[in-house]
Amino acid sequence: MIAEEATRPSGSRGSTSKQTIEHPEIDHAAEKKLVRKLDLYIVPIIMLLYLFSFLDRVNIGNARLYGMEEDLGLHGNQYQTAVSILFVTYLVAEIPSNLLLKKLRPSRWISAITTSWAIIATLTGITQNYSGLIACRVLLGLVEGGLFPGAAVYLTLFYTKRELALRIGYLFVSAAIAGAIGGLLGYGIGFMDGVANQRGWRWILIIEGLPSFVLGIATWFLLADSPETAFYLSVEEKHLMKIRRDRQAGQTESAQKFHKADVYAAFRDWKVYAFCIGQFGTDTMLYGYSTFLPTIIKGLGTWSTAQTQALTIPCYCLGALSYVIVARISDSQQKRGLYTVIFGAISVVGYGILISEARMGVHYFACFLVAMGLYVTAGLPLAWLPSNQPRYGKRTTATGMQLTIGNASGIMAPFLYPSSEGSRFIKGHAVSLAMVGMANVIFAFMSWYLSKQNDRRRRGQEDTRFANKTESEIMELGDESPRFVYTV
């Protein structure tokens, strides 16, 4: 057995004594093997789901380069409206979808929404006017809204807080890959312009939507609903999963069930709202950059459409590589705020260069700086908040809130880059810079605050929470327990 010491009261308020809490000894070699198996069965399908989701959501940016606006008669801000309207229903769907995830079973629910968005995304390619495009985007947001928050919560069912950032990071790697693949596919499919008397933008939307349908059907059979029902885990591995969960503070049997009190606790916690506002700032950059990078790069020089698509690919690749490296380090050190702020600052520098008067090559270099910080700054907080929420009900609600408020920036972001302000797009870059700067201040403060709370708990200054509580009640306090150590 492995012994851990925890401080608890021996009697009167504020009086404490040491109690030894014992956990079953864990076979670390077996645990590493187990994590590799989880990665093999979970990560590829989750990555593919988000890759196709992101691709189907933002490929409208590539379609724009191949005549969509002209064919549909879009004018003024109608294109920007079509991009942003998706996020209205996307936001509405996020929290309800998370609350339904366990009730309807992850495999069934995620399969259903994936198949639905695939059909809608594909049919967007045959729309004939602005009204049809708006209808497709509204429906697409409604069914896609549940995927990312659902995937983030799903990963917490299988991975510990020391493993979470890298696995959630894979979702952002998928977004980067989607950007790169979108550029490649846009470049290749663009040559189909005129095939069957259809414009290239239609083929982009149709062809890129079809794989999601196949994946949606496969998800029904390939995605396990929980560690207890995972078909690929042996009895011994399922037992090891339980040990791993029980070793984390606050991860009791009851905490893994859905309780309305935990939902209310998330809505009352100011820390959750701080993360939500910070996420709004970083997601402004995420959606502005991801959707309009082809437009931004096209404005830097006299590129052809094909050249523009090709020039977006290295930016996305650097963003993906940066996140994988930083997420692995962050998981190892259990430091989220430090790297979030550092890489947010790198993106701020990138936007500063884009705003400045400089040569074309310098502005293109700035696109790499923005990409380098983009996924780290937007992604790490999505592992940071849930890793500090051991109770399922609060975790799933907090994650839904974080993504809902964060993704609300997707409504605003398209209007930051109107065609009339090309080719420099000063306003879009300036607002993105300011929003990332705001997020950096918030995340720096939260890292400092949580560190101070950990110090107070180590010194026993929070031990009054133990007063008059039984051992089982102490274990149910979740992140409010003086034994719980925040990830900073």
Side-chain angles (χ1 to χ4, degrees):
M1 305 285 279
I2 293 177
E4 294 181 359
E5 285 191 340
T7 303
R8 65 169 303 184
S10 58
S12 62
R13 182 178 180 89
S15 175
T16 61
S17 64
K18 296 286 185 182
Q19 181 193 12
T20 299
I21 300 175
E22 294 185 340
H23 294 294
E25 186 173 355
I26 196 164
D27 184 337
H28 293 291
E31 184 181 27
K32 288 182 179 179
K33 183 180 178 182
L34 171 64
V35 172
R36 287 196 297 269
K37 178 179 276 192
L38 293 176
D39 287 343
L40 178 64
Y41 281 92
I42 295 174
V43 170
I45 190 167
I46 292 295
M47 284 188 69
L48 284 173
L49 283 165
Y50 193 62
L51 187 154
F52 288 128
S53 166
F54 201 84
L55 187 65
D56 290 340
R57 196 185 327 148
V58 304
N59 58 10
I60 190 172
N62 291 320
R64 185 187 196 186
L65 299 177
Y66 289 89
M68 169 185 272
E69 289 178 291
E70 294 84 355
D71 286 0
L72 297 183
L74 305 185
H75 55 83
N77 286 330
Q78 287 186 331
Y79 171 80
Q80 284 76 15
T81 301
V83 173
S84 68
I85 196 86
L86 174 143
F87 291 96
V88 175
T89 48
Y90 192 99
L91 303 179
V92 170
E94 287 183 305
I95 293 178
S97 178
N98 256 17
L99 298 180
L100 289 171
L101 185 68
K102 266 195 172 182
K103 183 177 180 64
L104 298 180
R105 298 175 56 183
S107 62
R108 305 303 187 250
W109 180 242
I110 293 177
S111 173
I113 63 177
T114 303
T115 306
S116 299
W117 97 55
I119 295 171
I120 296 165
T122 302
L123 294 179
T124 304
I126 63 173
T127 190
Q128 300 298 316
N129 50 47
Y130 176 63
S131 299
L133 178 62
I134 290 293
C136 288
R137 297 290 290 179
V138 167
L139 293 174
L140 187 62
L142 186 64
V143 293
E144 273 199 2
L147 179 65
F148 192 99
V153 170
Y154 180 81
L155 290 171
T156 67
L157 302 178
F158 291 85
Y159 293 100
T160 68
K161 62 190 296 184
R162 289 187 171 273
E163 300 158 351
L164 192 58
L166 182 60
R167 276 72 192 185
I168 288 183
Y170 288 142
L171 297 177
F172 282 90
V173 171
S174 297
I177 294 172
I181 288 178
L184 284 172
L185 289 175
Y187 176 79
I189 299 173
F191 289 107
M192 294 181 64
D193 191 32
V195 173
N197 294 320
Q198 299 297 325
R199 292 294 303 275
W201 70 268
R202 294 189 183 277
W203 286 118
I204 289 174
L205 298 178
I206 292 170
I207 292 175
E208 292 182 6
L210 291 174
S212 299
F213 184 82
V214 177
L215 182 61
I217 301 300
T219 299
W220 183 284
F221 303 100
L222 297 178
L223 202 65
D225 292 316
S226 68
E228 292 77 15
T229 61
F231 64 89
Y232 47 82
L233 295 180
S234 66
V235 174
E236 293 78 12
E237 288 168 333
K238 290 177 181 178
H239 179 63
L240 181 55
M241 288 290 293
K242 184 177 185 302
I243 294 175
R244 278 160 47 88
R245 185 193 68 200
D246 292 344
R247 286 167 61 87
Q248 299 183 87
Q251 295 274 9
T252 64
E253 289 285 347
S254 174
Q256 303 316 303
K257 297 177 181 178
F258 182 83
H259 300 284
K260 288 184 179 180
D262 292 330
V263 175
Y264 299 144
F267 283 113
R268 292 193 301 266
D269 191 341
W270 70 268
K271 298 187 295 296
V272 174
Y273 289 99
F275 274 93
C276 290
I277 297 170
Q279 198 68 44
F280 182 90
T282 60
D283 282 1
T284 299
M285 170 175 62
L286 176 67
Y287 288 116
Y289 188 88
S290 300
T291 304
F292 292 96
L293 182 60
T295 303
I296 294 168
I297 291 179
K298 191 175 181 65
L300 297 182
T302 56
W303 316 112
S304 69
T305 298
Q307 288 172 327
T308 299
Q309 297 284 18
L311 287 169
T312 65
I313 296 170
C315 298
Y316 289 119
C317 290
L318 177 63
L321 181 62
S322 297
Y323 191 97
V324 170
I325 294 172
V326 174
R328 188 176 291 276
I329 296 171
S330 174
D331 271 343
S332 174
Q333 298 179 351
Q334 284 297 281
K335 292 181 179 179
R336 310 294 194 215
L338 174 65
Y339 296 108
T340 300
V341 172
I342 289 174
F343 280 80
I346 292 173
S347 289
V348 166
V349 171
Y351 279 117
I353 295 173
L354 283 170
I355 292 170
S356 68
E357 294 285 348
R359 297 190 306 273
M360 176 184 63
V362 176
H363 281 158
Y364 184 53
F365 169 72
C367 291
F368 281 90
L369 291 180
V370 175
M372 189 174 177
L374 175 67
Y375 298 110
V376 175
T377 309
L380 280 186
L382 290 172
W384 190 0
L385 179 59
S387 67
N388 283 331
Q389 308 298 331
R391 296 188 65 83
Y392 174 79
K394 188 175 181 182
R395 182 169 70 245
T396 192
T397 306
T399 300
M401 291 169 62
Q402 184 182 17
L403 285 163
T404 297
I405 295 176
N407 285 329
S409 64
I411 299 174
M412 173 186 72
F415 295 98
L416 299 179
Y417 293 91
S419 301
S420 59
E421 297 193 6
S423 60
R424 293 290 308 282
F425 299 107
I426 299 295
K427 180 181 75 175
H429 298 327
V431 172
S432 297
L433 185 155
M435 297 301 289
V436 177
M438 176 198 72
N440 258 18
V441 171
I442 291 172
F443 291 134
F445 171 78
M446 291 308 301
S447 183
W448 171 83
Y449 174 81
L450 296 176
S451 295
K452 289 296 182 184
Q453 287 298 106
N454 287 343
D455 289 341
R456 287 177 57 84
R457 292 178 179 187
R458 277 191 290 268
R459 291 195 298 265
Q461 292 175 289
E462 296 285 310
D463 288 345
T464 53
R465 292 180 182 274
F466 285 113
N468 302 318
K469 289 187 179 295
T470 66
E471 178 63 20
S472 60
E473 288 173 334
I474 293 169
M475 296 297 291
E476 297 295 336
L477 289 175
D479 63 302
E480 297 298 320
S481 168
R483 293 179 184 166
F484 185 82
V485 179
Y486 287 111
T487 300
V488 300

